[in-house]
Every structure is written in C-alpha cells, then in structure tokens.
C-alpha cells in the first residue's frame, strides 16, 4: 500500500463549480498536511497546509483533515479557469520528514 | 530574487551516456531534494540531502548519483544504469527537514533519451 493515495483524474468541471480533491494516507504519524499546486510544465508551489485535524480556509480554498479516517480534502469554491492545474497532497510527520507526495489530481475548469 | 534554478530546461541523452542536471538555490536552505515525475505517478523521491557533504537515497535511487559539496548546489547525474530515464526532473529545497517545512521547487528539467 502506498503511503499516500490520490485519484489522478483528470477531473473536469465548469467554471463556478465547487471542486473536491481528496487523498488518503496510511501513516498515522503524519501531522502536517500540505497541498501543492502545479501548473503544466512548472514546479509545484505550496497552496496551503493544515496541522493535525480540522479545517483551514484561505479565500476560495478550504483544506480539511480527518485523522480518524486518514482522509484529506481540498475544496475549491467558485472554481476559475486559472485553477486548472495538478493538485498534490503531501503529508509530513514533523520530525526529520522527507516529503512524500500523492500522485496528484489534474483539474480542468472549463468556461 | 531568491529561488531555485534548474538547468537546462530540456536535455536530450543518447543511450549509454551519463548526463548531469544542475540545481542551484540561493535561499540558504540546508535541505535539498531531487524528484522524478512521470505521468500518473506523481513525484517520486530520488535523493535528498539534509546538510552539506551528506545525502541519502530516496525511493528510486538506482541509476542516479548526487553530490553536495556546496550548500547551494545539488547536481544529479543520470547514469547509463538508469534503464528508463525519460522523465521530468524536479529539484526542491527547504529550510531543514524538521517539523513543518515548505519545499520550494525549481522549474524542472525534461530529460529525453534519443
């Protein structure tokens, strides 16, 4: 079993839709949960992160962690064509952690 | 501007050749990483370095080698032993590897075997 599982997509939604991107993980030692966004032919950039369980909101983006079920979600409200990218989840244990990424979900927001 | 620079952007290699991908950072970060990205497989860790003159194998180190002689530089050599080297290679750095750490990525090198 991989440490981090993510549906690779592609996921295609119309502009304005609410998008839900998800990851599952197997390592119960993960404490920090990060989402990176990667545009085509570019390096990933950190979008947002949460620590332990709960929600965190940043503009149109909400990150949610459920440690009991080892499930991570990223919600995008009022999706825009500029949100079209690959979204990668990356959990960390918090101690001498090497970054482990999910496969990434490719999102396409259409006009 | 602070950041990570990878070069070249595109690289072509003949069968049996070794090639070296450059990665330089001016962020004063201790930790540096090399990832390989293939379609549908996400980022897979090749090598990482927590400090100068020290590096560790990642999940797919076979056929690759690295050095870390300077804090700002972490070159990756793809050797002829790597059977399927065509991929997008990403270099990253972070302040260190303890606790929460954000990784900063370069723009990548696309390597193609011809």
């Amino acid at each position: 079993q991989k440490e981090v599982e993510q549906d690779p997509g592609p996921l295609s939604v119309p502009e304005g839709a609410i998008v839900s991107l998800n990851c599952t993980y197997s390592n119960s030692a993960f404490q920090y949960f990060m989402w990176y966004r990667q545009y085509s032919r570019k390096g990933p950039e950190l979008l947002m992160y949460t620590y332990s369980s709960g929600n965190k909101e940043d503009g149109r983006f909400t990150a949610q962690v459920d440690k009991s079920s080892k499930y991570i979600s990223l919600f995008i409200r009022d999706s825009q064509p500029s949100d079209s990218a690959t979204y990668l989840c990356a959990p960390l244990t918090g101690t001498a952690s090497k970054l482990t990424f999910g496969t990434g979900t490719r999102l396409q927001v259409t006009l | 501007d602070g950041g990570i620079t990878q070069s070249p952007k595109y690289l072509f290699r003949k069968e049996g050749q070794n090639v070296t991908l450059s990665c330089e950072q001016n962020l004063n970060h201790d930790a540096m990483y090399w990832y390989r990205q293939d379609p549908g497989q996400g980022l897979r860790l090749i090598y990482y370095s927590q400090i100068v003159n020290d590096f560790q194998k990642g999940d797919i180190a076979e056929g690759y080698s690295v050095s870390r002689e300077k804090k700002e530089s972490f070159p990756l050599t793809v050797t002829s032993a790597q059977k399927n080297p065509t991929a997008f290679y990403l270099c990253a750095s972070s302040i260190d590897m303890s606790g929460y750490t954000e990784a900063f990525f370069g723009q990548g090198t696309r390597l193609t075997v011809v």
Side-chain angles (χ1 to χ4, degrees):
Chain A
Q1 183 187 9
K2 290 183 179 179
E3 270 198 312
V4 185
E5 301 269 8
Q6 192 174 3
D7 186 339
L11 178 62
S12 184
V13 301
E15 183 179 8
I18 296 174
V19 177
S20 172
L21 305 168
N22 309 298
C23 281
T24 58
Y25 63 93
S26 58
N27 188 347
S28 58
F30 287 141
Q31 295 288 337
Y32 298 89
F33 302 91
M34 308 165 82
W35 284 96
Y36 285 80
R37 179 173 60 192
Q38 183 180 22
Y39 291 112
S40 182
R41 299 189 180 89
K42 301 290 186 184
E45 292 179 314
L46 181 66
L47 182 61
M48 60 190 303
Y49 79 97
T50 56
Y51 173 69
S52 195
S53 282
N55 292 359
K56 184 175 183 179
E57 189 173 318
D58 184 0
R60 296 185 294 111
F61 298 88
T62 299
Q64 192 174 77
V65 177
D66 181 348
K67 292 190 73 178
S68 63
S69 58
K70 297 187 176 68
Y71 197 80
I72 314 165
S73 298
L74 177 70
F75 298 97
I76 307 174
R77 292 186 301 280
D78 187 25
S79 56
Q80 303 294 311
S82 58
D83 295 328
S84 298
T86 296
Y87 292 81
L88 302 118
C89 61
L92 286 171
T93 62
T95 55
S97 301
K98 56 181 184 177
L99 279 173
T100 301
F101 289 85
T103 55
T105 299
R106 189 157 63 89
L107 172 67
Q108 182 72 38
V109 180
T110 57
L111 290 169
Chain B
D1 286 333
I4 299 182
T5 302
Q6 288 187 243
S7 62
K9 191 171 182 179
Y10 299 97
L11 186 57
F12 298 89
R13 190 195 93 170
K14 292 183 180 179
E15 295 274 358
Q17 278 185 338
N18 292 356
V19 290
T20 297
L21 283 60
S22 171
C23 178
E24 303 277 332
Q25 55 100 356
N26 60 4
L27 299 168
N28 200 32
H29 286 172
D30 282 324
M32 296 188 75
Y33 316 78
W34 273 106
Y35 291 89
R36 169 181 172 142
Q37 189 172 32
D38 296 281
Q41 296 213 43
L43 274 64
R44 292 185 290 167
L45 183 63
I46 304 172
Y47 268 98
Y48 63 100
S49 168
Q50 296 190 64
I51 200 165
V52 175
N53 293 321
D54 182 62
F55 50 83
Q56 307 294 328
K57 292 182 179 180
D59 301 317
I60 55 164
E62 186 175 350
Y64 300 98
S65 66
V66 294
S67 63
R68 186 86 188 276
E69 297 176 1
K70 298 186 295 183
K71 187 175 185 177
E72 57 271 20
S73 179
F74 192 41
L76 173 75
T77 296
V78 184
T79 75
S80 56
Q82 171 49 238
K83 298 306 178 187
N84 185 23
T86 295
F88 188 51
Y89 291 86
L90 285 159
C91 178
S93 72
S94 62
I95 291 176
D96 54 34
M97 290 180 66
S98 60
Y100 159 74
T101 180
E102 177 183 354
F104 293 82
F105 284 84
Q107 294 302 291
T109 293
R110 186 165 299 277
L111 173 63
T112 303
V113 173
V114 296

